[in-house]
Amino acid sequence: MNDHNNLDLALIMASIVHDVKNSLGLIQHQVESMVPQLHDKNPEIAVQLQQLSLEAGRINHGLIHMLGLYRLKEGMLSPCDDECFLMDVLDDVRTKFISSLEVLKIEFTVDQHDPDMIWNFDQTMVDGILSNVITNAIRYTKSKLMLSTYEENGYLVIQIKDDGDGYPENMIQYVQPQTQMNYQTGSTGLGLYFSSQIAQMHQVGDKRGYIELSNDKQTGGAIFRLFLP
Amino acid sequence: MAQVISLPLSKEEIAVLQRKHVLVIDDFANVRKSIKGMLHTIGIKKVVEANSANQAIVAMRENHFDVVICDYNLGPGRDGQQLLEEVRFNNTLSFRTVYVMITAETSRDMVMGAIEFQPDDYLAKPFAFDTLKQRIVRWFLRQKTMDKLFLALDNKNHEKIIEQASLVINKEPRFKVFAQKKAIEAYIALEQCETPLKMIKEINGDREQSWTKIYLAQIALIQNKMDDAVDILKESIDKDPNLIGAYDLLSECYLKKHDDKRAQDVLQKGVQRSPRNIVRQKNLGELSLKLDDMITASKAFKEVVSLSDQTMHDSPDNNENLVRSLKAQLDLMEDENPEKRKLLLEVQSQLKSFSTKYKGNDSVRLFCKVFQYKIENSTSDKDKSNVMDGFLEKALMNADEISVDLGEEIAQLLFEDERYKDVDQLIHTLKENHKGETKILEKLDAIQAEPVDKVQREKAQKLNVLACKQYEEKSFEKSSDTFNQALKISPRHPGMILNYIQSRMQSVNKEDHPIKVVNNCMEYAERLNYLEKDHYQYQRYINIVNKLKQYQKKYHE
């Protein structure tokens, strides 16, 4: 019998992805740490490096999503039900992008309706969703990112809005069925698919989390909303 | 209202940072250097480095640190979680110190340990300068806000903990949940139920918090409502399978209800969720040994042995239990089973690494010799060598130092060699050593009666049951024959010997030479010379011997 048939291919792929992700994380970190050194001497290269680092970050998110989907399929992914102090969670996400935003001259505002808000969710998972959205938004926005949170009908809403050209129509459509992937659109939407899966895993009674994409009626910028019960 | 953390820092804040003391633990020098560099840039100059858990412990004994930043993976030896557990357990780590775990994992459950040993914060690797800076400020805010609470926690002063925690709950929403937990734990430690129940009811007002469930179960246990505790825990595991502490507590409940099988089931699920917790693995191993589930036992002890290396849980007992469970598995396997050879090699390699690790430890050496010998002899028909002899003699001379478990193994070896007097002498010494310990004394009695391994014991037991049935049916010839078969396997068992004699004597008058049979029975009875007066079979034994003496007179030719 051929021994290769017995290999758990998915597990091996997952292990490889895991290693690649960690190496890539180190590369991104190293590139990132070079930016402040070049900031004054050669601002142009600093901007390019920053973009390089963001791109590495995008790949990294992709790998994290692959791993996450593997664990989802194996039933090994279930959210931790933590009471999170929202201000700190948002702060953690924002802090990761401080230097990118500065170098790329993007203004980032945070508007939290209730600064004392404590809400139940898996902090690592939500951090992942928001970081992924912001990484993409930085690429497509013109000059601004607006993060805001509020409570609506028993849901915590975390919204990220930019002033770019907005989501293409097919992407807005895409999130609706939430179970199908469209490889034709150029973007696989893997990140969004994963985000909506994670959101759905957050459940209270019969209320489930979800995500919603739209474009701002006035500015046309993209709006991402995460709803957590 | 919550304090907003803003960067850049004020002059006062920077002055505070300069007085702070930080320990950085990582096995890679360049990582330590990089973190140290960041801390310097932030304004923290007092930074100590450690490259291993051992170095970290020395540093923590000598200094008070405000922050300990520790990588989860520290190379060979203890990891960051095990270090945390140890320093928390032996009070080397003050609650005033912020313990931060750096992990490379994208999900937290990879590092999830026991609920009582959570780090104060996690940092995902690699992290940027800004992230560290912002966290530093948050950690010191935490330290400042809860300093008095931490002091009370260090002193285990429950009344003070309750007092200080309630101040925090009202003052800083950021640390509210932490303070609530500490207050409830303090009430539980004081065995006060009413106030924490009220608190939990209030906390769960908007939404049920799964962490409250473990406390609710603990309170139910204080109130002797065992079934309520079980229900609460079962339900909470259903709802939140990550609530790892619930598995441990539920398992304890089942143990108290003497439902070992369920207790094992629950522990197994907990181990699946969080396989790196040594105590849980050890409990699972010990429970599985008790339940004769050798496959689960050996799996658990294998984890224990590898996880506990160089930790405070490191002990030869773990290796002994691993070897024992593997050997028992080996005994149960048919010779034709192709897996048997693999298992044999595994036991041998475990024995080898065990004796290497505890070189110079006489009792480990003896244990390994005994098992090495047993394993060799159970798998081949070659002549039994006298390899053991030197060791056995030495062991018998120092019988004082032999544990009951190892004593049992040695008694079996002596017995196989028909050295009955040595068996009795060994058991006698062990009994002297454990005077007053009823359970151990009972066990020693059982060993003396039947110094054969478990598989043999069960075989003999089955034959004994069959023979008793034949005896009841008055097929005495058959029953004598079956009892005799049982005695070939377990020749010193008082019950079986006396059964055999009784059965044999039933048909003695039909024999051509009854005196031969009686004398033969007397020889069997003499095997029980060792019975002491307080043995439960002693009276029966005396009665039967007296009867045999009468027969001897009667049939004397």
Side-chain angles (χ1 to χ4, degrees):
Chain A
M1 201 172 74
N2 189 345
D3 259 0
H4 296 287
N5 294 336
N6 294 332
L7 295 176
D8 181 349
L9 201 60
L11 178 67
I12 293 172
M13 301 278 269
S15 312
I16 295 172
V17 169
H18 186 263
D19 286 350
V20 174
K21 169 185 78 70
N22 287 348
S23 301
L24 194 66
L26 283 176
I27 293 176
Q28 189 195 359
H29 178 63
Q30 207 122 41
V31 171
E32 188 113 0
S33 63
M34 288 156 75
V35 175
Q37 299 169 35
L38 282 167
H39 205 276
D40 299 327
K41 283 183 232 157
N42 198 335
E44 222 169 283
I45 294 204
V47 170
Q48 281 174 17
L49 273 182
Q50 195 65 62
Q51 271 156 347
L52 209 65
S53 154
L54 273 171
E55 209 51 40
R58 281 163 56 85
I59 303 173
N60 221 351
H61 281 134
L63 298 176
I64 290 171
H65 297 149
M66 277 170 76
L67 273 182
L69 288 175
Y70 169 73
R71 302 186 61 205
L72 193 69
K73 191 179 143 263
E74 297 290 309
M76 295 192 299
L77 196 68
S78 51
C80 293
D81 184 34
D82 288 331
E83 280 176 282
C84 302
F85 187 66
L86 188 61
M87 186 197 284
D88 287 352
V89 176
L90 300 181
D91 225 22
D92 281 349
V93 177
R94 185 187 58 87
T95 309
K96 280 195 246 179
F97 296 96
I98 287 179
S99 73
S100 298
L101 295 164
E102 203 180 289
V103 172
L104 302 172
K105 298 196 171 60
I106 296 168
E107 186 195 348
F108 190 97
T109 58
V110 179
D111 175 20
Q112 192 181 340
H113 275 204
D114 173 9
D116 291 350
M117 171 79 81
I118 295 173
W119 203 268
N120 277 69
F121 52 82
D122 184 308
Q123 180 170 345
T124 321
M125 288 181 175
V126 168
D127 184 293
I129 293 180
L130 299 180
S131 301
N132 180 46
V133 173
I134 293 174
T135 306
N136 285 319
I138 288 177
R139 201 187 200 200
Y140 295 109
T141 193
K142 290 194 181 95
S143 63
K144 259 198 227 167
L145 281 181
M146 289 151 281
L147 175 64
S148 56
T149 69
Y150 50 93
E151 204 181 325
E152 191 181 88
N153 303 326
Y155 284 90
L156 168 70
V157 187
I158 305 178
Q159 171 181 298
I160 297 165
K161 193 162 105 172
D162 64 42
D163 63 352
D165 295 334
Y167 289 114
E169 194 55 32
N170 56 19
M171 270 184 94
I172 292 177
Q173 298 295 321
Y174 156 73
V175 186
Q176 308 307 334
Q178 281 177 2
T179 47
Q180 284 177 341
M181 277 214 245
N182 184 356
Y183 291 97
Q184 316 289 308
T185 56
S187 160
T188 58
L190 178 63
L192 288 172
Y193 172 76
F194 188 63
S195 298
S196 84
Q197 293 292 317
I198 296 288
Q200 276 189 47
M201 289 173 99
H202 288 80
Q203 190 176 1
V204 180
D206 46 9
K207 273 186 181 163
R208 275 171 181 273
Y210 58 98
I211 63 171
E212 210 176 73
L213 305 186
S214 60
N215 290 330
D216 191 82
K217 289 202 178 87
Q218 290 169 339
T219 65
I223 300 175
F224 171 92
R225 280 199 200 96
L226 171 63
F227 292 77
L228 294 169
Chain B
M1 202 176 99
Q3 198 167 326
V4 178
I5 294 172
S6 61
L7 302 170
L9 304 170
S10 67
K11 266 190 188 162
E12 291 78 27
E13 282 170 321
I14 291 170
V16 169
L17 286 184
Q18 277 170 346
R19 291 196 299 271
K20 298 294 183 184
H21 209 173
V22 178
L23 174 64
V24 178
I25 313 164
D26 198 304
D27 53 334
F28 287 106
N30 56 346
V31 177
R32 294 196 304 271
K33 209 180 124 202
S34 144
I35 297 175
K36 195 174 172 176
M38 289 191 206
L39 290 168
H40 273 248
T41 315
I42 292 169
I44 299 174
K45 307 293 179 196
K46 282 159 72 180
V47 181
V48 175
E49 295 178 39
N51 67 14
S52 67
N54 281 339
Q55 269 195 5
I57 284 181
V58 174
M60 286 159 92
R61 282 208 191 108
E62 288 169 359
N63 308 281
H64 168 80
F65 291 102
D66 297 290
V67 177
V68 173
I69 301 177
C70 181
D71 199 290
Y72 173 71
N73 190 347
L74 296 176
R78 279 163 290 187
D79 61 34
Q81 181 65 36
Q82 289 165 339
L83 173 65
L84 169 63
E85 185 185 335
E86 187 166 334
V87 289
R88 193 68 95 200
F89 184 80
N90 61 26
N91 295 323
T92 310
L93 182 69
S94 158
F95 275 94
R96 301 162 89 180
T97 304
V98 187
Y99 194 100
V100 184
M101 192 84 77
I102 303 176
T103 69
E105 304 305 332
T106 43
S107 75
R108 220 181 44 189
D109 56 348
M110 300 291 288
V111 289
M112 196 164 50
I115 198 103
E116 62 266 42
F117 297 116
Q118 292 279 339
D120 299 307
D121 203 0
Y122 289 94
L123 258 179
K125 191 161 72 170
F127 49 86
F129 174 74
D130 293 318
T131 297
L132 183 62
K133 190 170 171 185
Q134 176 241 21
R135 293 291 184 95
I136 287 273
V137 178
R138 198 186 293 162
W139 297 332
F140 292 140
L141 175 67
R142 177 188 147 96
Q143 212 182 26
K144 203 172 109 191
T145 315
M146 298 200 280
D147 194 47
K148 284 185 181 147
L149 173 57
F150 292 147
L151 197 67
L153 283 165
D154 279 344
N155 295 332
K156 297 191 170 69
N157 181 340
H158 302 303
E159 284 87 2
K160 259 267 166 339
I161 293 172
I162 292 166
E163 179 194 311
Q164 289 300 324
S166 56
L167 289 178
V168 174
I169 293 169
N170 297 320
K171 193 165 78 184
E172 175 57 77
R174 181 178 270 115
F175 307 120
K176 187 172 148 192
V177 179
F178 176 84
Q180 281 171 333
K181 287 180 184 172
K182 293 300 161 198
I184 294 171
E185 283 166 17
Y187 279 117
I188 291 175
L190 294 169
E191 302 212 338
Q192 293 179 19
C193 303
E194 232 172 89
T195 323
L197 278 176
K198 233 165 81 187
M199 280 178 79
I200 291 173
K201 203 173 167 195
E202 208 175 299
I203 291 166
N204 287 337
D206 297 335
R207 169 181 189 154
E208 288 227 317
Q209 299 300 339
S210 53
W211 59 266
T212 58
K213 299 293 177 173
I214 291 177
Y215 297 131
L216 283 176
Q218 284 174 345
I219 293 169
L221 286 177
I222 294 174
Q223 297 173 325
N224 285 322
K225 297 178 187 163
M226 171 72 82
D227 292 335
D228 288 2
V230 169
D231 288 344
I232 293 169
L233 293 167
K234 266 168 44 184
E235 196 198 315
S236 54
I237 289 175
D238 267 353
K239 273 194 184 154
D240 183 1
N242 287 332
L243 198 65
I244 209 74
Y247 297 84
D248 299 331
L249 196 56
L250 183 56
S251 168
E252 272 174 47
C253 289
Y254 283 134
L255 280 182
K256 279 191 192 138
K257 293 173 70 144
H258 304 289
D259 192 342
D260 291 357
K261 188 75 198 69
R262 278 222 172 85
Q264 188 204 28
D265 264 9
V266 174
L267 271 187
Q268 243 172 326
K269 283 187 187 131
V271 159
Q272 273 168 10
R273 282 271 154 191
S274 168
R276 293 186 59 84
N277 183 288
I278 300 170
V279 177
R280 189 173 307 122
Q281 289 277 12
K282 206 165 157 179
N283 288 340
L284 176 61
E286 278 163 7
L287 190 53
S288 304
L289 274 186
K290 198 171 150 200
L291 285 165
D292 284 325
D293 177 354
M294 294 304 167
I295 294 177
T296 311
S298 59
K299 222 171 120 188
F301 282 119
K302 216 180 292 172
E303 290 294 332
V304 174
V305 165
S306 92
L307 287 172
S308 63
D309 190 30
Q310 293 180 46
T311 72
M312 65 179 186
H313 301 289
D314 212 350
S315 145
D317 291 351
N318 302 332
N319 301 70
E320 287 187 6
N321 279 328
L322 173 55
V323 171
R324 257 196 200 102
S325 52
L326 286 172
K327 159 85 167 53
Q329 234 176 296
L330 201 63
D331 290 342
L332 290 169
M333 243 180 217
E334 304 288 335
D335 280 336
E336 303 81 57
N337 193 329
E339 293 292 312
K340 189 156 185 165
R341 215 189 127 61
K342 236 162 96 187
L343 194 61
L344 179 69
L345 289 175
E346 190 181 349
V347 196
Q348 281 172 332
S349 105
Q350 287 294 349
L351 273 171
K352 201 172 164 197
S353 58
F354 183 27
S355 63
T356 317
K357 182 169 177 180
Y358 291 96
K359 226 186 223 165
N361 180 329
D362 284 343
S363 88
V364 169
R365 194 180 332 169
L366 182 62
F367 177 93
C368 290
K369 279 278 168 192
V370 167
F371 271 85
Q372 189 64 41
Y373 181 86
K374 286 196 155 195
I375 286 159
E376 274 170 19
N377 281 295
S378 69
T379 48
S380 64
D381 293 319
K382 68 178 176 198
D383 288 337
K384 284 187 184 165
S385 55
N386 285 328
V387 172
M388 277 308 295
D389 255 9
F391 269 94
L392 275 189
E393 299 315 325
K394 214 173 143 192
L396 288 174
M397 272 161 55
N398 301 307
D400 276 355
E401 289 155 26
I402 297 176
S403 69
V404 172
D405 287 339
L406 188 56
E408 177 171 11
E409 309 288 348
I410 293 175
Q412 290 171 11
L413 282 181
L414 290 168
F415 188 76
E416 276 173 32
D417 263 2
E418 297 177 8
R419 294 165 64 175
Y420 305 133
K421 272 193 183 152
D422 285 337
V423 174
D424 294 341
Q425 183 57 44
L426 175 66
I427 299 289
H428 181 76
T429 312
L430 291 173
K431 273 178 146 180
E432 288 289 304
N433 283 346
H434 294 278
K435 257 188 188 155
E437 299 171 60
T438 321
K439 274 215 166 136
I440 293 185
L441 292 178
E442 275 173 25
K443 189 175 175 187
L444 287 167
D445 272 339
I447 295 170
Q448 190 169 27
E450 211 174 17
V452 293
D453 69 37
K454 212 179 133 10
V455 178
Q456 301 293 331
R457 209 148 55 214
E458 274 170 11
K459 264 191 209 162
Q461 204 53 49
K462 268 190 195 152
L463 287 167
N464 188 44
V465 171
L466 173 67
C468 287
K469 213 175 137 209
Q470 292 164 335
Y471 184 89
E472 272 170 34
E473 290 162 358
K474 299 198 186 335
S475 324
F476 300 121
E477 220 167 292
K478 270 190 193 163
S479 66
S480 301
D481 195 45
T482 316
F483 279 128
N484 201 21
Q485 281 177 39
L487 285 176
K488 286 213 168 91
I489 299 167
S490 178
R492 298 229 303 173
H493 193 281
M496 289 184 209
I497 289 176
L498 298 176
N499 286 349
Y500 169 72
I501 297 174
Q502 243 177 305
S503 163
R504 200 78 174 82
M505 296 313 289
Q506 287 289 348
S507 54
V508 70
N509 46 10
K510 291 177 195 152
E511 300 279 344
D512 293 339
H513 304 284
I515 186 66
K516 272 190 182 165
V517 177
V518 177
N519 285 342
N520 174 262
C521 284
M522 203 53 149
E523 275 170 35
Y524 274 88
E526 276 164 11
R527 290 183 186 178
L528 298 176
N529 282 342
Y530 69 87
L531 283 191
E532 284 168 34
K533 277 192 181 131
D534 52 357
H535 196 283
Y536 76 103
Q537 291 274 26
Y538 184 76
Q539 207 44 54
R540 184 177 169 214
Y541 158 70
I542 292 297
N543 293 344
I544 286 181
V545 168
N546 286 340
K547 202 163 253 176
L548 283 175
K549 280 181 186 162
Q550 287 168 16
Y551 277 119
Q552 273 180 330
K553 267 186 205 159
K554 181 174 164 190
Y555 292 116
H556 188 69
E557 287 151 1

